Amino acid sequence: MSETIVISPTSRQEGHAELSMEVDENGIVTTGRYFSITPVRGIEKMVIGKRPETAPVLVQRICGVCPVTHTLSSVEAIDDSLKIEIPKAARILREMCLNAHMINSHAIHHFLIAPDFVPENQYNEVVKNVSEIRKQAQYIEDSVGGEGIHPSDIRIGGMAHNITKNTKNKIKTRIEGLMNLLEKHVETMEGFIQDKDFPKGLGTHTQPIFASDDTYGSRTAISMNDIEEILPSSWYDDPKIGEKACSQIPRYKGEVVETGPRARAAKFRKFKETGVKAQHLARAKEMINSAEKIIELVDQLDPSAQVMAKFTLEGTDRLGVGVIEGPRGTNIHTAKISSQGYISDYRAIVPTTWNIPTMGYATENFHYEYAPHVIRAYDPCLSCATHMVIKDDETKKIIKEDMVQL
C-alpha cells in the first residue's frame, strides 16, 4: 500500500522548498514532486518603469548567493536590447568575475554537504580549506566587480573601470597560488564522494541536459522560441501542490531539463557520469576549470584598454536576452527598453527553476531516505524568482489563472 512522505522544508540549501513523495510498501519512491515554497520577492516587477541602469542594481538583490550571476544576466540583456557591443577588455573582466564567483559558490556547497561526506576527524581541515578558497575567490570578485556581494562595477555597456596593472598581477599571483590548495581540496572531496555507500544509479533520470557555454554564457546557443513556462497547477498531479508551489515550470523544446555543473561538463567536457555522485564530482571539478579559465583570462587582459562602450541610452523596444551560466545552471534574463528610455518588460528564468521538476524525477526508484541527498546534489537555490497566484480573500479561490511576476 502506498503512502505520502513529505519533507518540509528540505534542508541545507538556499531558500525553502518541499519534497512530496509517493512511496510503495518498501519505501521506494514511485512519484517525486519537488517545489518551491519561498515567499515572493517582487524584483522583476519592481524594475518596470525604471531607467535601465536601475535593473542590474536591483536584480542583483534577487539572491544573496548569486549576485554576480544576476548582475551579469541583467547587463547582458540590456546591452542586447540597446544593441551595445562591449569592449573586449570588459568581456574579459566580466568572465573573470563570474569564474571567481563559480569557485566561491561551489566552495560554499562543499561546506553545506560536508556533514554527508567528510569524516569527523577531517571536518575542520575541510572547512578551513573551504574558507581559504572562498577568501581568494572573493578577492577577485571584489577587485574586478567592485564589491563581492553586490558588484557595483559591472555596468551596462561594459565595466565602470579597468583594473590596474598592479591588481592584475595580484590576481594572477593569488589564483596561481590557490591552484595547489584547490587541486588538493577537490581531490579530497572526490575521494569522500566516491567512498560514500550510495546505491548504484541514485539520482539518475532521463531528462535532457541544458547548458549554453562552458564558463560564461551565450544567448546564441539557445532558442528563446523553444522556451515555455507553464503554471505549476498544470504540472503537478496534486492540485494542492500546484496551488502551493511558488515558481513556474520552464521547459525547453517541450521537456523539463537538467542544468548546472554536470550538464555543462557533459556538454562541453565529455563528462559521462550520471546521478548524485556525478553531480558532486562535476561541481568539484568545475572549480579547477574556473580557476584555469581565470589564469587564461588574466593573461589576455590589457589594463590600459577601454572597458566602457560609447552609447546613448535610447530605447529600442527590442527584447534583449542575457544568458549566463551560474553555479547552479543557466540563468536567463530578458529586458525591453521603451522608446522613452524606460524598462517596459523584465523577466528572469533562473537555474533552480529549470531543475525543480527534474529533481523530483531524480528521487524516484530509490528509498525515500536517500531523497535529501538527491536534492542536495543539485545545490538548489530557491530565492531567485518566485511568483504568485491571486486568490479571493474570503473564498480562497484562485481568481486569476496566471502566475504574477511580483
Side-chain angles (χ1 to χ4, degrees):
M1 185 174 177
S2 66
E3 64 174 319
T4 303
I5 302 289
V6 176
I7 301 175
S8 179
T10 47
S11 62
R12 282 190 269 141
Q13 64 193 32
E14 311 297 342
H16 303 284
E18 279 189 20
L19 178 61
S20 175
M21 298 168 284
E22 300 299 320
V23 303
D24 65 16
E25 63 275 11
N26 296 314
I28 304 300
V29 180
T30 55
T31 304
R33 310 179 190 92
Y34 185 66
F35 57 99
S36 171
I37 55 171
T38 299
V40 172
R41 305 188 72 180
I43 303 290
E44 290 162 288
K45 198 72 173 178
M46 198 181 295
V47 301
I48 301 297
K50 303 286 194 307
R51 295 285 286 174
E53 57 267 37
T54 311
V57 178
L58 288 181
V59 302
Q60 64 185 217
R61 268 81 180 174
I62 284 176
C63 178
V65 182
C66 290
V68 172
T69 308
H70 287 296
T71 308
L72 288 170
S73 297
S74 184
V75 295
E76 289 275 342
I78 297 171
D79 287 343
D80 187 36
S81 178
L82 300 178
K83 300 181 179 180
I84 299 171
E85 291 289 334
I86 69 169
K88 178 184 176 183
R91 167 73 182 221
I92 290 172
L93 290 170
R94 287 183 180 184
E95 288 196 52
M96 285 172 59
C97 197
L98 179 65
N99 279 278
H101 175 62
M102 194 76 77
I103 296 168
N104 191 355
S105 184
H106 288 350
I108 295 172
H109 185 251
H110 283 171
F111 174 72
L112 292 173
I113 64 166
D116 294 335
F117 294 97
V118 180
E120 191 173 346
N121 64 350
Q122 297 183 60
Y123 188 87
N124 288 346
E125 182 66 22
V126 166
V127 172
K128 180 182 173 185
N129 290 340
V130 163
S131 297
E132 180 61 23
I133 290 166
R134 291 196 61 212
K135 176 183 173 183
Q136 300 304 333
Q138 188 77 53
Y139 171 80
I140 299 172
E141 290 182 68
D142 288 342
S143 301
V144 177
E147 297 173 59
I149 303 300
H150 295 120
S152 54
D153 287 351
I154 301 172
R155 305 283 180 87
I156 297 167
M159 300 289 289
H161 53 77
N162 206 333
I163 59 174
T164 65
K165 183 178 179 182
N166 187 39
T167 301
K168 171 183 170 174
N169 292 336
K170 283 183 178 178
I171 289 174
K172 185 172 182 179
T173 300
R174 288 203 181 206
I175 195 69
E176 287 179 342
L178 180 63
M179 282 301 285
N180 283 340
L181 173 61
L182 204 50
E183 288 170 351
K184 177 185 170 188
H185 170 75
V186 169
E187 183 180 358
T188 300
M189 290 302 295
E190 287 177 338
F192 292 147
I193 292 162
Q194 293 287 20
D195 289 344
K196 187 74 176 181
D197 55 347
F198 284 146
K200 188 176 180 182
L202 178 68
T204 56
H205 59 78
T206 58
Q207 299 311 120
I209 57 173
F210 183 65
S212 68
D213 189 81
D214 187 17
T215 58
Y216 189 67
S218 171
R219 67 176 66 94
T220 60
I222 62 171
S223 166
M224 292 301 292
N225 291 331
D226 288 327
I227 296 175
E228 61 176 348
E229 289 185 282
I230 62 173
L231 295 172
S233 58
S234 301
W235 174 256
Y236 295 102
D237 57 354
D238 184 335
K240 290 182 179 177
I241 293 176
E243 190 175 318
K244 190 176 182 180
C246 293
S247 63
Q248 300 188 84
I249 304 294
R251 296 193 294 194
Y252 192 70
K253 296 183 177 178
E255 299 264 21
V256 298
V257 298
E258 176 196 323
T259 188
R262 194 195 74 85
R264 284 189 289 266
K267 187 168 182 177
F268 299 106
R269 281 168 259 144
K270 299 180 180 179
F271 187 76
K272 302 292 185 187
E273 298 175 58
T274 60
V276 165
K277 287 187 177 180
Q279 294 287 342
H280 290 302
L281 293 173
R283 184 175 293 105
K285 291 176 186 295
E286 193 165 67
M287 298 168 79
I288 303 291
N289 194 56
S290 288
E292 290 173 343
K293 186 65 180 180
I294 293 171
I295 292 172
E296 174 190 324
L297 289 165
V298 78
D299 281 336
Q300 296 174 10
L301 181 68
D302 176 1
S304 65
Q306 273 290 337
V307 292
M308 180 59 75
K310 293 181 180 178
F311 65 96
T312 55
L313 271 174
E314 295 178 358
T316 60
D317 270 330
R318 177 174 183 263
L319 186 70
V321 180
V323 180
I324 291 295
E325 289 297 324
R328 292 161 187 82
T330 309
N331 187 35
I332 302 174
H333 286 215
T334 61
K336 188 181 287 186
I337 315 302
S338 72
S339 55
Q340 290 76 35
Y342 294 92
I343 298 170
S344 58
D345 187 80
Y346 200 97
R347 298 167 193 271
I349 308 176
V350 302
T352 292
T353 54
W354 290 105
N355 278 335
I356 277 176
T358 302
M359 280 187 272
Y361 283 150
T363 64
E364 295 175 355
N365 302 315
F366 289 89
H367 197 278
Y368 70 84
E369 290 184 350
Y370 289 109
H373 290 288
V374 175
I375 299 301
R376 280 199 284 278
Y378 283 85
D379 188 21
C381 184
L382 298 126
S383 307
C384 293
T386 52
H387 298 80
M388 62 183 292
V389 294
I390 300 175
K391 285 184 177 181
D392 185 284
D393 276 347
E394 294 182 358
T395 66
K396 304 302 180 188
K397 288 185 177 178
I398 296 174
I399 58 177
K400 183 176 172 57
E401 286 294 336
D402 194 7
M403 294 292 277
V404 182
Q405 292 178 305
L406 287 177

